Amino acid sequence: MRRLAIILLGLCLGCDSRGLVVITPLAPAVDTGLPSDDAGVPPTRGHYHMERLDRGLVAVSMPDGSGVYLSWRMFGDEYDDKHPERIAYAINRDGAPIQTVSDSTNYFDPDGSPDVEYQVAFVIDGEIQDFSPVVTAWPNDQNYLRIPLQVPPQGVTPATCPIPNEIYTYSANDASVGDLDGDGRYEIVLKWDPSNSKDNSQPGCTGNVLLDAYAMDGTQLWRIDLGPNIRAGAHYTQHMVYDFDGDGVSEVVVKTAPGTLDGTGTYLHLGPAGTDDYSAVYRNASGYILTGPEYLTVFDGPTGAELATVDFQPARGAVADWGDTYGNRVDNFLSTAAFVLDQTEGASGRPSIVMGRGFYARTAISAWNWRDSALTLLWTADSNAGTAYVGQGAHSWAVADVDSDGVQEIVTGSSTINGDGTRRCSTDLGYGLGLHVADLVPGRPGMEVFVPHLNGPLDYDEHDADTCASIVRGPTASGTARGVADDIYDGNDGAEMWTNNSGSLLSATTGKDVGSLPGSNNFLIWWDADEARELEDQTSITKYGGGTLLSCSDCASNNSTKATPVLTADLLGDWREEIIWREKDNSALRLYTTTDVTKRRIYTLMHDPQYRMQVSSEQAGFNQPPHPSFHIGHNMTMPPKPDIFLRATLGRTPAP
């Protein structure tokens, strides 16, 4: 039983002559956040419904025996941008107080060892809240968790395939995260790719696509087999993981077809799937699947069981209507979670499911709600109907509230689609490879969009997410393979941007050269103690202008030449990001965390609605790193308090 009084070190409020303070514990914090600045007036409920997480406390014992690194989450409803001095965190080691931290969400314990137990508690105005669960240091004095995997058995293609009786094996591929059991901790939903997976432009049979759910200790929760009528490849399966109905437990949503087995080993049987012929295979002689039913299915987080199945929208229709006749462009899919406009609930701040099809030519997007055990269509934007733009998409999406009205828009590349499924704006610069949507120019209102263009007319462009007005335009070029934008260099105010064709590092504010071309143009991650973002490529993290900060020789990257990680996101600890790579033999994932103590204190990025929604789509199409709605970097200002609502307690209960 916890003591009624806890002695904390280093807190100025109520200190005695020794610099100590006696604090009486309060009841657990409720979902209303911090006490109001106006005495007697309770704080208002926030707008965006976000996940209730646990403290995410991480302890890493240093290999040299110098001590233990600690890192923990600041929740979005704890953050106070107006009076940060009110906030602190109390640390216990083996049940006894050792420190109160008021300037960070890190602590290095020089007296720590691998076998001691740590807890952290939130302190507001000198009053302590409940302590977190006890943690000990990660095993083997290492800065990664090893998450064992259950590798699927090899398969063999049917005799009717272009390459009959081909043996294929499985590799761990892209992943997303969600709280699948309501305990405040993220689980991993991992896609397994067969070795014969294909790009949409390539004919041939593929093995079945599998989705596994794993706890962070490697416990396998379930396996979904998408069956023979879902082709394997980077553009076919975009799985979303989020708590879409607000009951405290994440669902998994993905495109399915006849022959899909849910996490209990049962064929889909709800809605239109109730009359399926489970043995039917719709693959044509070239290996494409261009006929047969297409579904959208919601699966239960804890069990993987089918909860609802509906006909997929945007529907396939005539294959040629999407830009070719052999089946490439019709099967380019994208997806994201987003806080779009609900036509019955309005700007409710509750999450929706957004699915897209096509971006080279015809482009269509549909938004769905999962509420009260029902999957309902909200709206569809379609370039054929004049509500989306023809050929102004990209191989990835990003969501952002571009006009600060509490509704997120879908930035598709060269265009922005309103949260109600209507056109907003387009640059008319055409198709892009990927995109970055962030506050790239601090002090300028709104979000900026950086798009590299494969076939011109420009190497890249940067434009306003709200109006699509040009900010910086690159030179005429072709053959652009990749491009990146964020603040990686302290020698320039604001963010930087570059492509493999740009020749140098460019200011996102002016477009002028500000440095040499970075050594990679792939992924990004916040890793070390400063606010500049680091470069990630293949299985290494490097500092712009510096050396390698982390490398895993036992790991492998994903998606061929894309060389992307399984996932990067703020999964544990403070606001900086973790990275997940797969081991070369696919026997495990490795989740790495930084061990650099930083004095920058920000609430967990997973409580920023823009960042969290971009994490949900990180694995869709050409993987792109997520960006928050505020600028992190050189000379940054304190972010505003997020306008969010968190459930009062963990666990599955009906949505409030």
Side-chain angles (χ1 to χ4, degrees), residues 472-548:
V472 175
R473 289 196 170 202
T476 301
S478 62
T480 302
R482 298 180 193 174
V484 188
D486 212 333
D487 195 346
I488 65 168
Y489 174 46
D490 285 352
N492 171 66
D493 288 335
E496 295 78 45
M497 56 192 185
W498 69 101
T499 73
N500 60 297
N501 276 342
S502 64
S504 62
L505 188 68
L506 308 171
S507 166
T509 303
T510 65
K512 295 180 178 178
D513 294 359
V514 293
S516 60
L517 191 68
S520 68
N521 43 33
N522 195 6
F523 246 64
L524 297 163
I525 186 169
W526 280 293
W527 188 258
D528 64 8
D530 64 26
E531 295 89 350
R533 216 167 184 185
E534 278 66 57
L535 308 171
E536 192 281 336
D537 187 35
Q538 300 189 54
T539 59
S540 293
I541 296 172
T542 58
K543 186 77 172 172
Y544 176 68
T548 299

Coordinates of all heavy atoms in Angstrom, one line a residue, residues 472-548:
V472 N 7.7 27.6 -52.9 CA 8.9 27.4 -53.6 C 8.7 26.4 -54.7 O 8.1 25.4 -54.5 CB 10.0 26.9 -52.6 CG1 11.3 26.6 -53.4 CG2 10.3 27.9 -51.5
R473 N 9.2 26.7 -55.8 CA 9.1 25.8 -57.0 C 10.6 25.4 -57.4 O 11.4 26.3 -57.5 CB 8.4 26.4 -58.2 CG 6.9 26.5 -57.9 CD 6.2 26.8 -59.2 NE 4.7 26.7 -59.0 CZ 3.9 26.4 -60.0 NH1 4.3 26.2 -61.2 NH2 2.6 26.3 -59.8
G474 N 10.8 24.1 -57.6 CA 12.1 23.7 -58.0 C 12.3 23.8 -59.5 O 11.3 24.2 -60.2
P475 N 13.4 23.5 -60.0 CA 13.7 23.7 -61.4 C 13.0 22.5 -62.2 O 12.6 21.5 -61.7 CB 15.2 23.5 -61.5 CG 15.6 22.7 -60.3 CD 14.6 23.1 -59.2
T476 N 12.9 22.8 -63.5 CA 12.4 21.7 -64.4 C 13.4 20.5 -64.3 O 14.6 20.7 -64.5 CB 12.3 22.2 -65.8 OG1 11.4 23.4 -65.8 CG2 11.8 21.2 -66.8
A477 N 12.9 19.3 -64.1 CA 13.7 18.2 -64.0 C 12.9 16.9 -64.2 O 11.6 17.0 -64.1 CB 14.4 18.1 -62.6
S478 N 13.5 15.8 -64.4 CA 12.8 14.5 -64.4 C 13.8 13.5 -63.8 O 14.9 13.8 -63.6 CB 12.5 14.1 -65.9 OG 13.7 14.0 -66.6
G479 N 13.2 12.4 -63.5 CA 14.0 11.3 -62.8 C 14.2 11.5 -61.3 O 15.0 10.8 -60.7
T480 N 13.4 12.4 -60.7 CA 13.4 12.5 -59.3 C 13.0 11.2 -58.7 O 11.9 10.8 -58.9 CB 12.6 13.7 -58.8 OG1 13.0 14.9 -59.5 CG2 12.7 13.9 -57.3
A481 N 13.8 10.7 -57.8 CA 13.4 9.4 -57.2 C 12.8 9.6 -55.8 O 11.9 8.9 -55.4 CB 14.7 8.5 -57.1
R482 N 13.4 10.6 -55.0 CA 12.9 10.8 -53.7 C 13.1 12.2 -53.2 O 14.0 12.9 -53.8 CB 13.6 9.8 -52.7 CG 13.4 8.3 -53.0 CD 14.1 7.4 -52.0 NE 14.1 6.1 -52.5 CZ 14.7 5.1 -52.0 NH1 15.5 5.3 -50.9 NH2 14.7 3.9 -52.5
G483 N 12.4 12.6 -52.2 CA 12.6 13.9 -51.6 C 12.2 13.9 -50.2 O 11.3 13.1 -49.7
V484 N 12.8 14.8 -49.4 CA 12.6 14.8 -47.9 C 12.5 16.3 -47.5 O 13.1 17.2 -48.1 CB 13.7 14.1 -47.2 CG1 13.4 14.0 -45.7 CG2 14.0 12.7 -47.7
A485 N 11.7 16.5 -46.4 CA 11.6 17.9 -45.9 C 11.5 17.8 -44.4 O 10.6 17.1 -43.9 CB 10.5 18.7 -46.5
D486 N 12.3 18.5 -43.6 CA 12.1 18.8 -42.2 C 13.4 19.5 -41.7 O 14.3 19.8 -42.5 CB 12.0 17.5 -41.4 CG 11.1 17.7 -40.2 OD1 11.0 18.8 -39.7 OD2 10.5 16.7 -39.7
D487 N 13.4 19.9 -40.5 CA 14.5 20.7 -39.9 C 15.6 19.7 -39.5 O 15.5 19.1 -38.4 CB 14.0 21.5 -38.7 CG 15.0 22.6 -38.4 OD1 16.2 22.6 -38.8 OD2 14.6 23.6 -37.6
I488 N 16.7 19.6 -40.3 CA 17.8 18.8 -39.9 C 19.1 19.5 -39.7 O 20.1 18.9 -39.3 CB 18.0 17.7 -41.0 CG1 18.5 18.4 -42.3 CG2 16.8 16.9 -41.3 CD1 19.0 17.4 -43.4
Y489 N 19.0 20.9 -39.8 CA 20.3 21.7 -39.8 C 20.0 23.0 -39.0 O 19.2 23.8 -39.4 CB 20.7 22.0 -41.3 CG 21.8 22.9 -41.4 CD1 23.0 22.8 -40.7 CD2 21.8 23.9 -42.4 CE1 24.1 23.6 -40.9 CE2 22.9 24.8 -42.6 CZ 24.0 24.6 -41.8 OH 25.1 25.5 -42.0
D490 N 20.8 23.1 -38.0 CA 20.6 24.3 -37.1 C 21.2 25.6 -37.8 O 20.9 26.7 -37.3 CB 21.4 24.1 -35.8 CG 20.7 23.2 -34.9 OD1 19.5 22.8 -35.2 OD2 21.2 22.8 -33.8
G491 N 21.9 25.5 -38.8 CA 22.4 26.7 -39.5 C 21.4 27.4 -40.4 O 21.8 28.4 -41.0
N492 N 20.2 26.9 -40.4 CA 19.2 27.6 -41.2 C 17.9 27.6 -40.3 O 17.5 26.7 -39.7 CB 18.9 26.8 -42.5 CG 17.7 27.3 -43.2 OD1 17.7 28.4 -43.7 ND2 16.6 26.4 -43.3
D493 N 17.2 28.8 -40.4 CA 15.9 28.9 -39.7 C 14.8 28.2 -40.4 O 14.7 28.3 -41.6 CB 15.6 30.4 -39.5 CG 16.4 31.1 -38.5 OD1 17.0 30.4 -37.6 OD2 16.6 32.3 -38.6
G494 N 14.0 27.4 -39.6 CA 13.0 26.6 -40.2 C 13.5 25.3 -40.8 O 14.6 24.9 -40.5
A495 N 12.6 24.7 -41.6 CA 13.0 23.4 -42.1 C 13.8 23.5 -43.4 O 14.0 24.6 -44.0 CB 11.7 22.6 -42.5
E496 N 14.4 22.4 -43.8 CA 15.1 22.2 -45.0 C 14.4 21.2 -45.9 O 13.6 20.4 -45.4 CB 16.6 21.8 -44.8 CG 17.4 22.8 -44.0 CD 17.1 22.8 -42.5 OE1 17.0 21.8 -41.9 OE2 16.9 24.0 -42.0
M497 N 14.8 21.2 -47.2 CA 14.2 20.2 -48.1 C 15.2 19.8 -49.2 O 16.1 20.6 -49.4 CB 12.9 20.7 -48.7 CG 13.1 22.0 -49.4 SD 11.5 22.8 -49.9 CE 12.0 24.2 -50.8
W498 N 15.1 18.6 -49.7 CA 16.0 18.2 -50.8 C 15.4 17.0 -51.5 O 14.6 16.3 -51.0 CB 17.4 17.9 -50.2 CG 17.5 16.7 -49.3 CD1 17.9 15.4 -49.6 CD2 17.1 16.5 -47.9 NE1 17.8 14.6 -48.6 CE2 17.3 15.2 -47.5 CE3 16.5 17.4 -47.0 CZ2 17.1 14.7 -46.2 CZ3 16.2 17.0 -45.7 CH2 16.5 15.6 -45.3
T499 N 15.9 16.8 -52.7 CA 15.7 15.6 -53.5 C 17.0 15.0 -54.0 O 18.0 15.7 -53.8 CB 14.8 15.9 -54.7 OG1 15.5 16.6 -55.7 CG2 13.6 16.7 -54.3
N500 N 16.9 13.8 -54.6 CA 18.2 13.3 -55.1 C 18.7 14.1 -56.3 O 19.8 14.1 -56.7 CB 17.9 11.9 -55.6 CG 16.9 11.8 -56.7 OD1 15.7 12.1 -56.4 ND2 17.2 11.3 -57.9
N501 N 17.8 15.0 -56.9 CA 18.2 15.9 -58.0 C 18.6 17.3 -57.5 O 19.1 18.1 -58.4 CB 17.0 16.0 -59.0 CG 17.0 14.9 -60.0 OD1 18.0 14.2 -60.1 ND2 15.9 14.6 -60.6
S502 N 18.3 17.7 -56.3 CA 18.4 19.1 -55.9 C 19.8 19.6 -55.8 O 20.0 20.8 -55.9 CB 17.7 19.3 -54.6 OG 18.3 18.6 -53.5
G503 N 20.8 18.7 -55.6 CA 22.2 19.1 -55.6 C 22.7 19.7 -54.3 O 23.9 19.7 -54.1
S504 N 21.8 20.1 -53.5 CA 22.2 20.7 -52.2 C 21.0 20.7 -51.2 O 19.8 20.4 -51.6 CB 22.7 22.1 -52.4 OG 21.7 23.0 -52.9
L505 N 21.2 21.1 -50.0 CA 20.2 21.3 -49.0 C 19.6 22.6 -49.2 O 20.3 23.6 -49.3 CB 20.8 21.1 -47.6 CG 19.8 21.1 -46.4 CD1 18.9 19.8 -46.5 CD2 20.5 21.2 -45.1
L506 N 18.2 22.7 -49.2 CA 17.5 24.0 -49.5 C 16.7 24.4 -48.4 O 16.1 23.6 -47.6 CB 16.6 23.7 -50.7 CG 17.3 23.1 -52.0 CD1 16.2 22.8 -53.0 CD2 18.3 24.1 -52.6
S507 N 16.6 25.7 -48.2 CA 15.7 26.3 -47.2 C 14.3 26.2 -47.6 O 13.9 26.5 -48.8 CB 16.1 27.8 -47.0 OG 15.0 28.4 -46.3
A508 N 13.4 25.7 -46.7 CA 12.0 25.6 -47.0 C 11.3 26.9 -47.0 O 10.3 27.1 -47.6 CB 11.3 24.6 -46.1
T509 N 12.0 27.9 -46.5 CA 11.5 29.3 -46.4 C 11.7 30.0 -47.7 O 10.9 30.7 -48.3 CB 12.0 30.0 -45.2 OG1 11.7 29.3 -44.0 CG2 11.4 31.4 -45.1
T510 N 13.0 29.9 -48.2 CA 13.4 30.7 -49.4 C 13.7 29.9 -50.6 O 13.8 30.4 -51.7 CB 14.6 31.5 -49.0 OG1 15.7 30.6 -48.8 CG2 14.4 32.4 -47.8
G511 N 14.0 28.6 -50.5 CA 14.4 27.8 -51.6 C 15.9 27.9 -51.9 O 16.4 27.2 -52.8
K512 N 16.6 28.7 -51.1 CA 18.0 28.9 -51.4 C 18.9 27.8 -50.8 O 18.5 27.1 -49.8 CB 18.5 30.2 -50.9 CG 17.8 31.4 -51.5 CD 18.3 32.8 -51.0 CE 17.6 33.9 -51.7 NZ 18.1 35.2 -51.1
D513 N 20.1 27.6 -51.4 CA 21.0 26.6 -50.9 C 21.5 27.0 -49.5 O 21.9 28.2 -49.3 CB 22.2 26.5 -51.8 CG 21.9 26.0 -53.2 OD1 20.7 25.6 -53.4 OD2 22.8 25.9 -54.0
V514 N 21.5 26.0 -48.6 CA 21.9 26.3 -47.2 C 23.0 25.3 -46.8 O 23.5 25.4 -45.6 CB 20.8 26.4 -46.2 CG1 19.9 27.6 -46.5 CG2 20.0 25.1 -46.2
G515 N 23.3 24.3 -47.6 CA 24.2 23.3 -47.2 C 24.4 22.2 -48.2 O 23.7 22.2 -49.3
S516 N 25.3 21.3 -48.0 CA 25.5 20.2 -48.9 C 24.4 19.2 -48.9 O 23.7 19.1 -47.9 CB 26.9 19.5 -48.5 OG 26.8 19.0 -47.2
L517 N 24.3 18.5 -49.9 CA 23.2 17.5 -50.1 C 23.4 16.4 -49.0 O 24.5 15.9 -48.8 CB 23.2 16.9 -51.5 CG 22.0 16.0 -51.8 CD1 20.8 16.9 -52.0 CD2 22.3 15.2 -53.1
P518 N 22.4 16.1 -48.2 CA 22.5 15.0 -47.2 C 22.9 13.7 -47.8 O 22.7 13.4 -49.0 CB 21.1 15.0 -46.6 CG 20.5 16.3 -46.8 CD 21.1 16.8 -48.1
G519 N 23.4 12.8 -47.0 CA 23.9 11.5 -47.5 C 22.8 10.5 -47.8 O 23.0 9.5 -48.4
S520 N 21.5 10.9 -47.4 CA 20.4 10.0 -47.7 C 19.2 10.9 -48.0 O 19.1 12.0 -47.5 CB 20.1 9.0 -46.6 OG 19.7 9.6 -45.5
N521 N 18.2 10.3 -48.7 CA 17.0 11.0 -48.9 C 15.8 10.1 -48.7 O 15.0 9.9 -49.6 CB 16.9 11.7 -50.3 CG 17.5 10.8 -51.4 OD1 17.3 9.6 -51.3 ND2 18.1 11.3 -52.4
N522 N 15.8 9.5 -47.6 CA 14.8 8.5 -47.3 C 13.9 8.8 -46.1 O 13.0 9.6 -46.3 CB 15.5 7.1 -47.0 CG 14.6 5.9 -47.1 OD1 13.5 6.0 -47.4 ND2 15.2 4.8 -46.7
F523 N 14.2 8.3 -44.9 CA 13.4 8.5 -43.7 C 14.0 9.5 -42.8 O 15.2 9.9 -42.9 CB 13.1 7.2 -43.0 CG 11.7 6.7 -43.1 CD1 11.1 6.4 -44.3 CD2 10.9 6.6 -41.9 CE1 9.8 6.0 -44.3 CE2 9.6 6.2 -42.0 CZ 9.0 5.9 -43.2
L524 N 13.2 9.9 -41.8 CA 13.6 10.9 -40.7 C 13.3 10.3 -39.4 O 12.3 9.5 -39.2 CB 12.9 12.2 -40.9 CG 13.2 13.0 -42.2 CD1 12.2 14.0 -42.4 CD2 14.6 13.6 -42.2
I525 N 14.0 10.8 -38.3 CA 13.6 10.4 -37.0 C 14.2 11.4 -36.0 O 15.3 11.9 -36.2 CB 14.2 9.0 -36.7 CG1 13.7 8.5 -35.3 CG2 15.7 8.9 -36.8 CD1 14.0 7.0 -35.1
W526 N 13.5 11.7 -34.9 CA 14.1 12.5 -33.8 C 14.7 11.5 -32.9 O 14.1 10.7 -32.3 CB 13.0 13.3 -33.1 CG 12.6 14.6 -33.8 CD1 13.4 15.7 -34.0 CD2 11.4 14.8 -34.5 NE1 12.7 16.6 -34.7 CE2 11.5 16.1 -35.0 CE3 10.2 14.1 -34.6 CZ2 10.4 16.7 -35.7 CZ3 9.1 14.7 -35.3 CH2 9.3 16.0 -35.9
W527 N 16.0 11.7 -32.7 CA 16.8 10.7 -32.0 C 17.7 11.2 -30.9 O 17.7 10.7 -29.8 CB 17.6 9.8 -33.0 CG 18.3 8.7 -32.4 CD1 19.6 8.5 -32.0 CD2 17.6 7.4 -32.1 NE1 19.8 7.3 -31.5 CE2 18.6 6.6 -31.5 CE3 16.3 6.9 -32.2 CZ2 18.3 5.3 -31.1 CZ3 16.0 5.6 -31.8 CH2 17.0 4.8 -31.2
D528 N 18.5 12.2 -31.2 CA 19.5 12.6 -30.2 C 18.9 13.7 -29.3 O 17.7 13.9 -29.3 CB 20.8 13.0 -30.8 CG 20.7 14.2 -31.8 OD1 19.6 14.9 -31.8 OD2 21.7 14.6 -32.4
A529 N 19.8 14.5 -28.6 CA 19.3 15.4 -27.5 C 18.8 16.7 -28.1 O 18.1 17.4 -27.3 CB 20.4 15.6 -26.5
D530 N 19.1 17.1 -29.3 CA 18.7 18.4 -29.8 C 17.4 18.2 -30.6 O 16.8 17.1 -30.7 CB 19.8 19.1 -30.6 CG 20.1 18.3 -31.9 OD1 19.3 17.5 -32.4 OD2 21.3 18.4 -32.4
E531 N 16.9 19.4 -31.1 CA 15.6 19.3 -31.8 C 15.7 19.0 -33.2 O 14.6 18.8 -33.9 CB 14.9 20.7 -31.6 CG 14.5 21.0 -30.1 CD 15.6 21.7 -29.4 OE1 16.7 21.8 -29.9 OE2 15.3 22.2 -28.2
A532 N 16.8 19.1 -33.8 CA 17.0 18.8 -35.2 C 16.7 17.3 -35.5 O 17.0 16.4 -34.6 CB 18.4 19.1 -35.7
R533 N 16.0 17.0 -36.6 CA 15.7 15.6 -36.9 C 16.8 14.9 -37.6 O 17.6 15.6 -38.3 CB 14.4 15.6 -37.8 CG 13.5 14.4 -37.5 CD 12.2 14.5 -38.1 NE 11.3 13.4 -37.8 CZ 10.1 13.3 -38.3 NH1 9.6 14.1 -39.2 NH2 9.3 12.3 -37.9
E534 N 17.0 13.6 -37.3 CA 18.1 12.9 -37.9 C 17.6 12.1 -39.2 O 16.4 12.0 -39.5 CB 18.6 11.9 -36.9 CG 19.6 12.5 -35.9 CD 18.9 13.5 -35.0 OE1 17.9 13.2 -34.3 OE2 19.4 14.7 -35.0
L535 N 18.6 11.6 -39.9 CA 18.4 10.9 -41.1 C 18.4 9.4 -40.9 O 19.2 8.9 -40.1 CB 19.5 11.2 -42.2 CG 19.8 12.7 -42.4 CD1 21.0 12.9 -43.3 CD2 18.6 13.4 -43.1
E536 N 17.4 8.7 -41.5 CA 17.3 7.3 -41.4 C 17.3 6.7 -42.8 O 16.6 7.1 -43.6 CB 16.1 6.8 -40.6 CG 16.1 5.4 -40.2 CD 15.7 4.4 -41.3 OE1 15.0 4.8 -42.2 OE2 16.1 3.2 -41.2
D537 N 18.1 5.6 -43.0 CA 18.2 5.0 -44.3 C 18.7 3.6 -44.1 O 19.6 3.3 -43.3 CB 19.1 5.7 -45.2 CG 19.1 5.2 -46.7 OD1 18.0 4.7 -47.1 OD2 20.1 5.1 -47.3
Q538 N 18.0 2.6 -44.7 CA 18.3 1.2 -44.6 C 18.3 0.8 -43.1 O 17.2 0.9 -42.5 CB 19.7 0.9 -45.2 CG 19.6 1.2 -46.7 CD 20.8 0.7 -47.5 OE1 21.2 -0.5 -47.4 NE2 21.5 1.6 -48.2
T539 N 19.4 0.5 -42.4 CA 19.3 0.2 -41.0 C 20.3 1.0 -40.2 O 20.9 0.5 -39.3 CB 19.6 -1.3 -40.8 OG1 20.9 -1.6 -41.3 CG2 18.6 -2.2 -41.5
S540 N 20.3 2.3 -40.5 CA 21.2 3.2 -39.8 C 20.5 4.6 -39.6 O 19.7 5.0 -40.4 CB 22.5 3.5 -40.6 OG 23.3 2.3 -40.7
I541 N 20.9 5.2 -38.5 CA 20.5 6.6 -38.2 C 21.8 7.4 -38.2 O 22.7 7.1 -37.5 CB 19.8 6.7 -36.9 CG1 18.5 5.9 -36.9 CG2 19.5 8.1 -36.5 CD1 17.8 5.8 -35.6
T542 N 21.8 8.5 -39.0 CA 22.9 9.4 -39.0 C 22.5 10.8 -38.8 O 21.4 11.2 -38.9 CB 23.6 9.3 -40.4 OG1 22.7 9.7 -41.4 CG2 24.1 7.9 -40.7
K543 N 23.5 11.6 -38.4 CA 23.3 13.1 -38.1 C 23.8 13.8 -39.4 O 24.8 13.6 -39.9 CB 24.2 13.5 -36.9 CG 24.0 14.9 -36.4 CD 22.7 15.0 -35.7 CE 22.6 16.4 -35.0 NZ 21.3 16.5 -34.4
Y544 N 22.9 14.8 -39.8 CA 23.4 15.6 -40.9 C 24.7 16.4 -40.5 O 24.7 17.0 -39.5 CB 22.3 16.7 -41.3 CG 22.7 17.6 -42.4 CD1 22.9 17.1 -43.7 CD2 23.0 19.0 -42.1 CE1 23.3 18.0 -44.7 CE2 23.4 19.8 -43.1 CZ 23.5 19.3 -44.4 OH 23.9 20.2 -45.4
G545 N 25.7 16.2 -41.4 CA 27.0 16.8 -41.1 C 27.8 16.1 -40.1 O 28.9 16.6 -39.7
G546 N 27.3 15.0 -39.6 CA 28.0 14.2 -38.5 C 28.1 12.7 -38.9 O 28.0 12.4 -40.1
G547 N 28.2 11.9 -37.9 CA 28.4 10.5 -38.1 C 27.2 9.7 -37.8 O 26.1 10.2 -37.7
T548 N 27.4 8.4 -37.7 CA 26.3 7.4 -37.5 C 26.0 7.3 -36.0 O 26.9 7.2 -35.2 CB 26.8 6.0 -38.0 OG1 27.0 6.1 -39.4 CG2 25.7 5.0 -37.7

